[in-house]
Structure formats: structure tokens, C-alpha cells
Amino acid sequence: MISKIKEKAMGQHKGRHERGLLPKIIFALIVLLIWECIARAEIFGPKSALVFPTVEAIAVAFIRNFTKGYAGISLWVYILNSMKLLFIGLLIGILLAFLLSGLAMLSAPFYHIYNLVVSVCDLLPGVALLPVVIVLFGVNPGVIVFLVVHAVLWPMSRSVLDGFLAVPRIYIEAGMNIGLKGPSLLWGVYLPATMPYILSGIKGGWARAWRGLISAEMIFGIATCPGIGLFINQMRTNMNNEEMYATLIVIIIIGVIVQYGILSPIENATVRKWGQVK
């Protein structure tokens, strides 16, 4: 009976997702139509082609970014470099968030100290720390990895800690009654019960890390490891606005792929399947 109820709920969620796809497509088409109308109206006079290039011009530039790129380097190279640094920073940030949050639940003094550190550091924009980090470590890819870790660690820790505190007491007592304590209690009770908070933290951390990485690459470009942010800045400097807009679309596409191609399936296979969210 319970399995049938879960299957029905999953079917309803899948139906809502499929019905929601059409409005998204219609909205995207409307945005493109409005953009094209503004571009052809040339409301900015001689600057219109720079400010609002046509959809066709942006589409041609989109292809040109991958075939020719900049200075003989395809946009694929920039994307791979950015994604490599992003993945390393995300992995380190998520692991540190789990480790430190777990230690905070095992030690009350450490919890109060770490909670204060999270509250303070979560308010510091990564870009604001950039000059200090460059002075300390120089200009190298490690600086961007550090900023990605900073962007992920604190919101992720906040979500995990909030999730740990929201675990019903009866779950904890049940785990202790079967002999779980310390790390085994964290692994067997706290982590499964806080999966919605964990996924929420990963979503927020990913978004902040992606924005922080692009911002850092735009502020200072690393010639030995050029990223998407540097490519956008190069296009802006050379007044290649069609290529610049096309690169922004690439950033959006990558974000959509991660959201709907990676994070949403993980959510459907875990917390939604387990009935932890509606």
C-alpha cells in the first residue's frame, strides 16, 4: 500500500514536471522574440548592433566561439579549464562542510565556535577576499579553487547544521537504542534524515561557486589556465559583443544542465523517492 502511494506521488511529480516544460519553452521563445524586435528596431541608433545584436548574429558567434575561439584557442578549452577548477573546489568544499559540521555535532564547544565562523565567513563575498588571497598566494589557479571552496563551504555547512538540528529526537533515540553512537550515529541517522537540507546546500553552494568562479576569472585572467570569465573579458575588450552574449548563453546552458541533468535526478532518486519532500 505504501509503495503504491509513493509510486502515485512520483507519477504526479513527473506529470507536473512534463507539464511545466511547455511554459518554459514558450517563455524562452517570447524572450528571443522580444530581443529580436528590439535589435531590429535599432532604438539605440548606431550603437544598436553592439548593444542588441540580432539573434542570428549571436547564433553565428556561438558557433564561431567553438570553431575559432580567441587567439586560436577554442571556447571548449576555456570551458574545460573552468569546470576542472570548479569541480576541485566543489569537492573540497563539500567534503570540508560534511567533516566540520559532523565534528560540530560531536562536540558542543566546537559547534559554538564553528557556528560563529560560518556566520562571519558566509557574509564575506569571495571577490572581496580576492586581493588578500592574491597577495598571500600570488596569481595561480589555486586562488580560484580557494574562492570556489569559500563559496561552497559556508552555505553548505549552514544547511547541514540546520538539517542536523532539525532531526526528530525520536530518530536519534532509535539509533542510540540499536547501538549507534558518535560517527556511526551521524552516518546512520543524521545524514539520511537531513538529505533535503544537504541537497539544498549543494544547490546553493553550486550556484554561488559558479558565479564566484566566473567573477574571479573576469577580474584576473590566468594565461596558463584560461577560463570562461577570461574569455568574456577578452570579448568585451575587443568589442566582440556577439561573442560575449553567446558566451553568456553558454554559461546559462551549463547551469541548466547541472540543475536539471544532475541535481534534479539526484533529488528525484533520493529525497523525493523516500517521501522526504512533496
Side-chain angles (χ1 to χ4, degrees):
M1 182 67 180
I2 296 176
S3 61
K4 290 182 178 179
I5 294 174
K6 288 184 177 180
E7 288 176 2
K8 182 179 180 182
M10 289 296 294
Q12 290 175 347
H13 171 71
K14 184 178 180 180
R16 286 196 300 268
H17 176 73
E18 292 174 350
R19 290 194 299 270
L21 182 61
L22 182 59
K24 293 174 184 176
I25 295 175
I26 294 175
F27 174 76
L29 293 176
I30 291 174
V31 171
L32 291 176
L33 179 61
I34 294 174
W35 181 283
E36 186 69 12
C37 291
I38 295 175
R40 294 188 180 279
E42 298 184 352
I43 59 177
F44 292 97
K47 298 189 299 182
S48 293
L50 289 175
V51 180
F52 273 96
T54 63
V55 174
E56 180 183 359
I58 295 175
V60 172
F62 186 93
I63 298 173
R64 190 161 56 239
N65 283 345
F66 290 99
T67 55
K68 295 184 178 179
Y70 178 78
I73 302 176
S74 169
L75 182 58
W76 284 116
V77 176
Y78 292 84
I79 293 174
L80 291 176
N81 286 334
S82 292
M83 297 307 294
K84 178 181 67 175
L85 298 179
L86 181 69
F87 176 78
I88 295 173
L90 277 173
L91 184 61
I92 294 174
I94 291 173
L95 290 177
L96 283 177
F98 279 125
L99 176 62
L100 297 175
S101 300
L103 290 175
M105 296 307 298
L106 296 175
S107 171
F110 184 78
Y111 169 81
H112 294 293
I113 294 172
Y114 189 58
N115 191 45
L116 174 62
V117 172
V118 170
S119 300
V120 172
C121 293
D122 198 26
L123 299 174
L124 289 174
V127 176
L129 294 175
L130 192 55
V132 178
V133 178
I134 291 177
V135 169
L136 292 175
F137 304 108
V139 178
N140 57 73
V143 173
I144 295 180
V145 173
F146 174 85
L147 294 179
V148 172
V149 172
H150 172 79
V152 175
L153 177 57
W154 313 120
M156 183 74 187
S157 295
R158 173 63 62 202
S159 294
V160 174
L161 288 174
D162 289 345
F164 285 163
L165 295 176
V167 175
R169 184 64 190 175
I170 189 173
Y171 292 177
I172 301 173
E173 292 175 352
M176 295 175 68
N177 286 337
I178 62 175
L180 299 179
K181 60 181 180 178
S184 62
L185 186 64
L186 280 173
W187 183 260
V189 176
Y190 279 97
L191 284 178
T194 57
M195 277 302 295
Y197 291 87
I198 292 172
L199 285 175
S200 177
I202 292 176
K203 288 180 180 179
W206 141 256
R208 288 185 56 171
W210 187 229
R211 294 195 301 268
L213 177 136
I214 299 298
S215 300
E217 290 178 341
M218 290 184 67
I219 294 174
F220 76 100
I222 302 176
T224 57
C225 188
I228 302 177
L230 176 61
F231 189 87
I232 294 175
N233 206 32
Q234 290 169 334
M235 296 302 101
R236 178 194 61 82
T237 303
N238 291 278
M239 298 297 289
N240 296 335
N241 286 18
E242 293 92 347
E243 284 80 358
M244 183 179 67
Y245 284 124
T247 310
L248 293 178
I249 294 175
V250 171
I251 292 174
I252 294 172
I253 291 174
I254 293 174
V256 170
I257 290 174
V258 171
Q259 175 64 40
Y260 294 101
I262 300 177
L263 297 179
S264 290
I266 293 175
E267 183 179 21
N268 293 334
T270 54
V271 296
R272 290 194 183 278
K273 185 178 180 179
W274 301 337
Q276 291 180 297
V277 295
K278 295 181 179 180

